[in-house]
């Protein structure tokens, strides 16, 4: 059975990944990518537009599905991140404020604390809501 995941990445980095057709989580760590399987859906949430800048972007920025289980490491000089192929859907960024009241993810007080882990499971209804809103 496929699962849904929320990755927390700046919008700038998400856009680069979409352009390359790759997923990368937690600054290129292998572990988070290995938790996901072929057929799983990944939704990116971007608290910022640019990494390290407190600009309160707070939007869901991309959604896609993994076509396979292959993970590889790339070499960018001093940076050697792990990556996976992902088939992104044509979508638009959706501000958190538009969806907050409709998601199980955001229903508990202090829900944002879990975002610091960089990758968290999403419930099936949230995936459906996000897909419908982001791709409409």
């Amino acid at each position: 059975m496929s699962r849904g995941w929320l990755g927390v990445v700046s919008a700038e980095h998400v856009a680069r990944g979409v352009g390359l057709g790759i997923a990368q989580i937690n600054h290129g760590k292998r572990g988070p990518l290995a938790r996901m399987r072929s057929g799983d859906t990944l939704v990116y949430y971007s608290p910022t537009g640019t990494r390290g800048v407190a600009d309160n972007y707070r939007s869901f920025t991309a959604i896609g599905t993994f076509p396979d289980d292959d993970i590889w490491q790339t070499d960018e000089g001093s940076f050697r991140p792990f990556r996976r192929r992902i088939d992104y859907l044509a979508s638009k960024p959706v501000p958190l404020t538009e969806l907050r009241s409709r998601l199980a993810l955001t229903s508990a007080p202090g829900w944002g604390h879990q975002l610091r882990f960089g990758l968290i499971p999403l419930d099936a209804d949230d995936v459906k809501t996000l897909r419908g809103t982001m791709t409409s």
Side-chain angles (χ1 to χ4, degrees):
M1 184 168 136
S2 63
R3 298 172 294 175
W5 300 91
L6 184 77
V8 183
V9 177
S10 73
E12 176 181 56
H13 287 179
V14 170
R16 183 168 185 251
V18 170
L20 294 170
I22 58 102
Q24 184 175 304
I25 303 289
N26 287 23
H27 309 291
K29 292 182 182 167
R30 187 182 196 290
L33 293 176
R35 292 177 61 194
M36 298 176 277
R37 300 283 176 251
S38 176
D40 285 0
T41 298
L42 175 65
V43 177
Y44 278 116
Y45 172 73
S46 300
T48 64
T50 303
R51 183 174 179 262
V53 177
D55 57 12
N56 295 318
Y57 186 77
R58 297 182 184 154
S59 295
F60 297 96
T61 46
I63 183 169
T65 303
F66 293 103
D68 57 45
D69 290 321
D70 296 338
I71 299 172
W72 74 92
Q73 190 171 26
T74 190
D75 189 350
E76 294 187 1
S78 61
F79 183 50
R80 299 201 47 186
F82 287 92
R83 294 179 172 165
R84 287 185 68 165
R85 280 188 327 117
I86 187 167
D87 295 329
Y88 286 105
L89 301 174
S91 65
K92 65 179 191 287
V94 176
L96 171 65
T97 54
E98 235 180 84
L99 291 170
R100 188 171 184 173
S101 65
R102 297 172 44 201
L103 300 173
L105 169 73
T106 56
S107 64
W111 69 270
H113 293 290
Q114 63 189 329
L115 299 179
R116 71 183 184 277
F117 297 114
L119 181 71
I120 56 174
L122 274 179
D123 101 355
D125 288 335
D126 282 0
V127 172
K128 183 178 178 183
T129 298
L130 288 159
R131 180 181 288 121
T133 305
M134 294 174 75
T135 63
S136 65

